[in-house]
Structures are given as C-alpha cells and as structure tokens.
Amino acid sequence: MPSVENKPCGCDWQAFVYINVFLACSSFSCALPTIEPYLAELGALGYWAYAVAIYSVGQFVASPTWGYLCSVYRSENTLYASLIIGVIGGYMYATASTGVEILIARVLIGLYTGSQEACHRTIVVRCTTDNERTIAQAGVSTATVLGFLFGPAFAGIFFFKPLGPVMVMGVKLRLNSFTGPGWLIVLFCCISSIFVTIGLTQEQTEGLPQCQQKKELSVVDVEENGEQYRVYRSLPHQDPVGAEGGGGTSR
C-alpha cells in the first residue's frame, strides 16, 4: 500500500465519487417517462404503480446493507458488487417480456442506486477531514439531485427515430424508447466501473486525511547511528495575545 508520505494530496477521487453518484441516481428517473407505455405494451399496465414504488424498496434495503459492508470489506469489492447488480437490473429491464420481470428489474436497479450512494458516502467520510466533510457530503447530495433531474433527459435520446434492432459485437439488441433506459443503465455501470478502478480502490483512498494534515507539519531529517529518519513536527502556532497563564506577550 502506498505510504501517506508518497501519496499525492489531490482531489481526483471527489470527481469520481460525484460522477458515479450522478450516474446511479440518473438510473431512477431515466425510465419514468416510458415505464407506463412499456408496461402497456407488455400487457401489464396494472403493475405500473408497483413498478415505480418497488424501486424505493430496493434502495431502502441497499443503503444500510452496503453502508455496513463498506465498513467491513474493501471499497472496490463492494462497489463492483453494486455495479454487477446494476448491470443485471438494466439488462432485465431492457429484455423484459412480462410485468413481473419489470418489477424484478426495478428492485435490482433500486439496490444498485442505494448501494452506490451508501458506498460513496462511506468513501467521503474516510477521505476527508472534519473540516472538509460537510462540503464533500453536500457535493454528494448535489450529485444525487442532479441525477434525478437529468435522468429523463438522458432517456430522451432514445425518442428519436429510426430505432430498432442494433448489432453489438454480433448480437442483435432490441433498442427502442422503452428498452433504451435499461441499456443506458448498463452503460452507466460500465463507465462507473472504470472510475472505481482508476481512482476509488482501497489503496487509493486510504490515508488521505492524514495526507492533508501532513501539509501542516514541518519536515526534519534526523540522522542517528548512521541511519536517517524523517520526523514531522507541528508548525509553531503564533498566538497574538501569547499567554501562558494569560498575561504575557507573544514570542
């Protein structure tokens, strides 16, 4: 594992967190404009209200579960497990032939969104100092709201014609305004997996608060018995009223 001393004190991880949360939350609203006609086409319009509500059930279950798993297991493992669930949910949604399959897909997508948000909030807590945490958590909340807001706009790209079977690696995919959001969720999960790999692994996020605090330390190289050591000392604090015992002047 890279030492804190050699770890750059950058904020790249924050961009990855915000983008991943944004993509995960977009998966909820991107299906809303077409879920009713999709179910009508499948002859399962009676499932409409359940298909909308059951997403929140998956999110409700995933948030505390993945919050606990993130504190026990490695960051990337919990995130990859969440993304696999998202891929399965998106694929089921895009290839559904019955209303029950739509319900199952919506539960899985809810699990994906809730677990992504819980994992990334855990990473924010680990990667920030007390002074930075409130702003960083506010950034996650902002990404969540923007995801809900822009989801339908992303789904809108599938409203344009012509649409029909699309060949991907020799496989014919059913692509239209109903199945498009499912394939979009699969694409979001693939993009998020890249960001997890390049910037949100356990080794890449551990030690960042200490890294930030190290900037407030002075570095002194000490040699003793032929061996050299690097010692970090707190920078002197200039107190304008200086006062051991309250009354003197600053030194």
Side-chain angles (χ1 to χ4, degrees):
M1 185 183 72
S3 65
V4 174
E5 178 180 335
N6 297 323
K7 187 187 295 290
C9 296
C11 293
D12 294 342
W13 64 271
Q14 285 183 288
F16 297 140
V17 165
Y18 298 154
I19 293 173
N20 283 358
V21 172
F22 172 79
L23 295 178
C25 293
S26 296
S27 67
F28 165 70
S29 56
C30 70
L32 289 182
T34 58
I35 192 169
E36 180 186 5
Y38 191 10
L39 287 169
E41 183 185 68
L42 299 177
L45 187 57
Y47 290 107
W48 177 36
Y50 301 106
V52 174
I54 204 168
Y55 167 92
S56 298
V57 175
Q59 193 173 21
F60 170 77
V61 172
S63 294
T65 303
W66 256 262
Y68 169 76
L69 292 176
C70 286
S71 64
V72 176
Y73 299 102
R74 295 173 59 87
S75 300
E76 63 269 27
N77 292 344
T78 52
L79 286 168
Y80 287 141
S82 168
L83 293 170
I84 290 172
I85 293 174
V87 169
I88 296 172
Y91 178 80
M92 284 191 66
Y93 188 89
T95 59
S97 57
T98 65
V100 174
E101 291 180 16
I102 292 290
L103 293 181
I104 296 174
R106 291 288 291 172
V107 170
L108 293 176
I109 295 170
L111 287 170
Y112 154 64
T113 303
S115 56
Q116 282 287 296
E117 190 170 357
C119 287
H120 286 95
R121 286 190 182 277
T122 303
I123 290 174
V124 166
V125 170
R126 185 197 312 139
C127 294
T128 54
T129 62
D130 291 340
N131 294 332
E132 301 166 333
R133 194 158 299 139
T134 301
I135 297 176
Q137 292 286 17
V140 174
S141 298
T142 301
T144 300
V145 174
L146 290 177
F148 290 146
L149 179 64
F150 283 95
F154 288 135
I157 64 178
F158 297 103
F159 295 156
F160 298 100
K161 304 293 183 180
L163 288 173
V166 176
M167 299 297 294
V168 178
M169 300 179 65
V171 179
K172 185 180 290 187
L173 302 180
R174 183 171 58 125
L175 179 63
N176 54 46
S177 59
F178 300 150
T179 63
W183 297 121
L184 197 62
I185 293 169
V186 173
L187 177 63
F188 286 168
C189 291
C190 294
I191 295 173
S192 294
S193 67
I194 297 173
F195 292 150
V196 171
T197 303
I198 65 178
L200 295 176
T201 63
Q202 190 81 11
E203 288 80 6
Q204 290 165 322
T205 56
E206 276 186 340
L208 288 177
Q210 294 91 333
C211 177
Q212 181 68 24
Q213 291 168 358
K214 191 190 74 177
K215 295 178 179 180
E216 302 176 0
L217 303 177
S218 62
V219 182
V220 179
D221 290 325
V222 178
E223 186 171 348
E224 183 178 348
N225 298 329
E227 296 185 5
Q228 190 170 11
Y229 302 90
R230 175 159 290 182
V231 178
Y232 294 96
R233 296 178 178 173
S234 298
L235 294 174
H237 176 67
Q238 299 296 330
D239 186 355
V241 292
E244 259 189 354
T249 58
S250 60
R251 296 182 179 181

